[in-house]
Amino acid sequence: MNKKWWKEAVVYQIYPRSFMNSNGDGIGDLQGIISKLDYLKELGIDVIWLSPIYKSPDHDNGYDISDYYDIMPELGTIEDFDELLAGAHQRGMKVIMDLVVNHTSDEHSWFVESRSSENNPKRDFYIWHKGSNGKEPNNWAADFGGSAWNKDEKTVEYYLHLFSKHQPDLNWENPELRKAIYAMMRWWLDKGIDGFRMDVINFLAKAPEFPDAPVIDPDRPGDYVHGGALYANQPGIHDHLQEMNREVLSHYDIMTIGECHFMSPQEGRLYADESRHELDMVFQYDIIHSGGDLETLKKRVHAWHQEFKGKAWNTINLNNHDTARQVSHFGDDKAYRIESAKLLATFVLTAPGTPYLYQGEEIGMTNANFPHIEHYRDIKMLNGHEELLESGKRPEEALSELQLHSRDNGRTPMQWDNSQHAGFTQGTPWIGVNPNFKSINVADAEKDRNSVLHFYQRMIKFRKKNEALIYGDYIPLNNDESPIYAYKRASNNVVFLIVLNFSSEARVFVLPLEMREKTLELLLSNYRTLSGEDKGELALNAWEARIYDVR
């Protein structure tokens, strides 16, 4: 396995519109990010990943791009971006961009031309089909609800949109479209960015005949059906990515990370296998989506490690802009918020793979759980709520069903201090601030040496000092239903034992026989009292995390 800078890096995802606002309009911006670069450096971050900042009408918070070569006016200008990039590089940090090329905005000039007539040269840049028996071409459902097809009255044909109707899918079978995308990628790389996070990159190739998705519920055959199996990991996707690597990626010292859904470890390895020359890494969403079930989490981490070992590089993260906050999903965000936030930090920074942190997790930010649907902004949440009401659910039932996994949980403004709007803006924030900002914020955390923030700083330093936590083998010790998660990271003669109590109750971990004759030196814990082991047993407090040196 080759050593690479991006394997050793700690990545921090910024959701720009919610990170820091500099001009009082309530929307986070590039100058706001610039003002916090020293904060990120102090935290120990190596790579900043920016969610989309391109020009966009903003139907899906920037994931509907109308101009790949410009910046959304609310976020700033190209000059602001150049200042941000230079400032990060001066501090020894790298910057990667979100690459959104499965779809564009319906206001992109390509699509404006494409829909103008069936004979337009850009027509084939998108996926157009005639209807079937007076209806959509197939029964695929859009991820945001309803059909994945929208009828365009001018040419009386349907275009595909796997997400919002304002996000038409690009046709990657068109070589001219691919050339245009590659030219855009080179433009940003030549500007000096350090890589790409690639949005739903395994969706680029669709099943060629666009067949109907299988109907799961025979009592509802007319429903739109999620067709993920027919547009994820399809034949041709690896040809596209190998061409992208050959034409663009291989010419730069950069990192690439793929957002890939509907994927097993075996499929994931095909994208990240170093010998295949496609991507450097892929996110492992079945780990993030393990339902908060610890046994499932253990088994999935092990499965991905076993499949990738010696062939491809792993990633590890538990939340992002599309998910619940990790301390609300995997931890205890009430009685043991601080302890469980530190435990999750220990896990993410010692499990195999490049760790990806999401803004706010370093202070233990929680789900907002807004009490009314009017407080939410996420199009997926709003559409889902409407569909539940139409199915007969009461408003409070619909809200309760969607709250935990609403994407807006990760999109509330960063909580900088306990002043109005958490110090995020002098104006009115585009989405409400989590009401707990008075007690959970950066300013207070910086003053408290026992805070979640300072624990993250210590853990990041610890990871960087110990190569066994980066390149070492991962050896699980209990993939069972126990609330304790224990594993070793080992490299040469260095062995670390990590023991995590994913429980709000005290627990005992019995050491494996082969470790009872070893000397265990406790190096780090999320509790102030650093206790050792007694007669082959470790007595753990609720949500306690420990790291031992094993000799």
Side-chain angles (χ1 to χ4, degrees):
M1 181 67 68
N2 297 323
K3 292 186 177 182
K4 296 284 187 179
W5 61 264
W6 42 264
K7 296 179 180 179
E8 302 169 11
V10 175
V11 185
Y12 187 96
Q13 181 190 359
I14 289 179
Y15 197 68
R17 67 189 300 108
S18 295
F19 190 64
M20 183 65 193
N21 176 225
S22 69
N23 61 8
D25 68 356
I27 299 174
D29 49 41
L30 298 183
Q31 283 296 329
I33 298 172
I34 291 169
S35 73
K36 298 299 184 181
L37 288 176
D38 287 336
Y39 166 80
L40 297 174
K41 180 64 177 177
E42 180 67 17
L43 179 58
I45 298 307
D46 302 296
V47 178
I48 299 168
W49 154 27
L50 297 175
S51 288
I53 60 173
Y54 311 93
K55 189 173 182 180
S56 165
D58 214 23
H59 289 288
D60 185 25
N61 291 3
Y63 281 88
D64 50 320
I65 296 168
S66 56
D67 188 345
Y68 286 110
Y69 293 91
D70 203 357
I71 304 295
M72 189 187 301
E74 292 88 346
L75 302 185
T77 65
I78 283 289
E79 290 72 25
D80 291 329
F81 176 80
D82 291 340
E83 181 182 350
L84 168 57
L85 185 62
H89 286 170
Q90 287 165 7
R91 291 166 174 80
M93 295 184 290
K94 298 180 185 293
V95 176
I96 64 173
M97 300 277 282
D98 226 307
L99 184 74
V100 187
V101 292
N102 175 72
H103 48 267
T104 68
S105 165
D106 59 353
E107 296 182 28
H108 195 290
S109 61
W110 293 346
F111 190 71
V112 173
E113 287 190 52
S114 182
R115 76 190 314 175
S116 65
S117 77
E118 293 183 53
N119 299 318
N120 188 278
K122 294 288 194 301
R123 183 68 170 184
D124 200 38
F125 268 36
Y126 296 85
I127 297 171
W128 293 91
H129 278 277
K130 297 187 183 299
S132 175
N133 298 319
K135 296 182 63 178
E136 296 90 349
N138 65 29
N139 66 350
W140 293 4
D143 193 59
F144 295 164
S147 174
W149 297 91
N150 195 61
K151 189 175 184 179
D152 188 74
E153 296 301 335
K154 184 168 185 178
T155 59
V156 199
E157 285 194 344
Y158 292 83
Y159 64 84
L160 180 68
H161 60 91
L162 295 181
F163 298 93
S164 161
K165 68 178 181 179
H166 299 290
Q167 294 167 287
D169 276 51
L170 290 163
N171 177 20
W172 270 76
E173 305 313 309
N174 184 328
E176 294 304 313
L177 177 277
R178 299 199 302 273
K179 288 180 184 177
I181 294 294
Y182 299 158
M184 176 270 293
M185 293 171 66
R186 292 189 200 98
W187 188 83
W188 284 103
L189 291 167
D190 290 341
K191 185 176 275 291
I193 71 166
D194 302 289
F196 294 107
R197 175 268 188 186
M198 300 185 179
D199 188 62
V200 293
I201 199 67
N202 64 325
F203 289 7
L204 300 188
K206 279 75 174 177
E209 301 301 322
F210 292 89
D212 276 342
V215 175
I216 299 173
D217 187 348
D219 294 327
R220 304 174 66 183
D223 283 0
Y224 300 116
V225 180
H226 207 297
L230 297 171
Y231 54 72
N233 313 312
Q234 289 297 302
I237 183 60
H238 297 292
D239 293 335
H240 293 330
L241 292 180
Q242 287 170 12
E243 179 185 77
M244 179 189 289
N245 188 295
R246 188 167 60 248
E247 296 294 322
V248 182
L249 305 176
S250 63
H251 301 281
Y252 301 86
D253 180 21
I254 59 173
M255 63 180 285
T256 55
I257 170 73
E259 181 198 26
C260 301
H261 295 279
F262 311 111
M263 179 175 286
S264 67
Q266 293 73 26
E267 289 169 323
R269 184 178 61 77
L270 297 179
Y271 291 85
D273 191 317
E274 294 184 357
S275 68
R276 291 172 57 84
H277 306 293
E278 295 185 25
L279 306 178
D280 294 323
M281 296 171 275
V282 294
F283 286 126
Q284 293 149 23
Y285 276 95
D286 64 349
I287 292 174
I288 298 176
H289 299 314
S290 54
D293 179 75
L294 182 59
E295 184 178 4
T296 300
L297 177 69
K298 295 176 187 178
K299 290 179 178 179
R300 289 180 177 178
V301 171
H302 181 59
W304 281 89
H305 177 72
Q306 286 298 102
E307 182 63 34
F308 276 43
K309 185 178 177 180
K311 304 166 190 165
W313 191 250
N314 272 291
T315 60
I316 189 68
N317 66 318
L318 293 177
N319 58 180
N320 58 41
H321 65 291
D322 282 333
T323 69
R325 285 283 177 182
Q326 67 180 29
V327 75
S328 296
H329 191 195
F330 293 93
D332 179 342
D333 64 4
K334 295 179 176 62
Y336 292 98
R337 182 189 65 84
I338 292 174
E339 293 83 358
S340 62
K342 291 178 179 179
L343 176 142
L344 295 172
T346 306
F347 170 68
V348 169
L349 290 161
T350 60
T354 296
Y356 285 73
L357 313 183
Y358 181 64
Q359 65 182 48
E361 78 173 66
E362 77 275 16
I363 58 171
M365 281 180 63
T366 69
N367 283 359
N369 294 323
F370 292 134
H372 302 291
I373 190 62
E374 291 77 14
H375 295 156
Y376 289 87
R377 300 290 178 266
D378 173 27
I379 184 174
K380 187 174 184 179
M381 172 83 171
L382 298 176
N383 289 348
H385 188 265
E386 188 65 29
E387 288 183 0
L388 288 176
L389 293 181
E390 291 174 359
S391 73
K393 296 276 188 180
R394 296 196 306 272
E396 60 273 20
E397 290 177 321
L399 181 62
S400 177
E401 189 169 323
L402 297 169
Q403 264 181 332
L404 173 60
H405 298 292
S406 170
R407 301 193 303 175
D408 281 342
N409 286 314
R411 300 179 180 189
T412 57
M414 183 72 179
Q415 294 163 207
W416 293 106
D417 58 41
N418 62 11
S419 66
Q420 187 179 32
H421 306 315
F424 164 70
T425 181
Q426 295 297 312
T428 302
W430 72 277
I431 187 173
V433 176
N434 191 319
N436 63 19
F437 74 91
K438 291 283 187 179
S439 58
I440 304 174
N441 61 73
V442 171
D444 288 347
E446 288 179 327
K447 298 172 188 174
D448 179 3
R449 298 301 300 177
N450 292 308
S451 69
V452 177
L453 176 63
H454 281 289
F455 189 83
Y456 265 88
Q457 291 173 342
R458 291 195 293 274
M459 274 302 312
I460 291 172
K461 288 179 182 177
F462 185 77
R463 180 182 188 275
K464 291 180 178 180
K465 286 181 181 178
N466 294 286
E467 200 169 82
L469 296 176
I470 302 171
Y471 294 108
D473 196 10
Y474 164 81
I475 305 155
L477 299 179
N478 65 336
N479 277 344
D480 55 20
E481 61 184 12
S482 164
I484 293 176
Y485 189 177
Y487 51 90
K488 294 189 294 184
R489 298 299 309 276
S491 178
N492 298 321
N493 295 320
V494 177
V495 179
F496 292 115
L497 169 65
I498 296 92
V499 186
L500 311 170
N501 178 16
F502 276 75
S503 169
S504 296
E505 298 177 3
R507 301 283 181 174
V508 172
F509 176 63
V510 179
L511 288 168
L513 289 174
E514 71 272 13
M515 298 189 70
R516 295 182 189 178
E517 302 301 319
K518 302 286 186 180
T519 299
L520 303 185
E521 179 186 356
L522 185 56
L523 301 177
L524 195 146
S525 171
N526 60 345
Y527 275 75
R528 295 188 188 186
T529 301
L530 301 184
S531 55
E533 52 96 10
D534 180 35
K535 297 180 180 178
E537 294 183 348
L538 304 178
L540 302 169
N541 296 300
W543 294 99
E544 185 169 5
R546 297 185 191 175
I547 301 177
Y548 289 94
D549 180 33
V550 181
R551 298 290 181 181

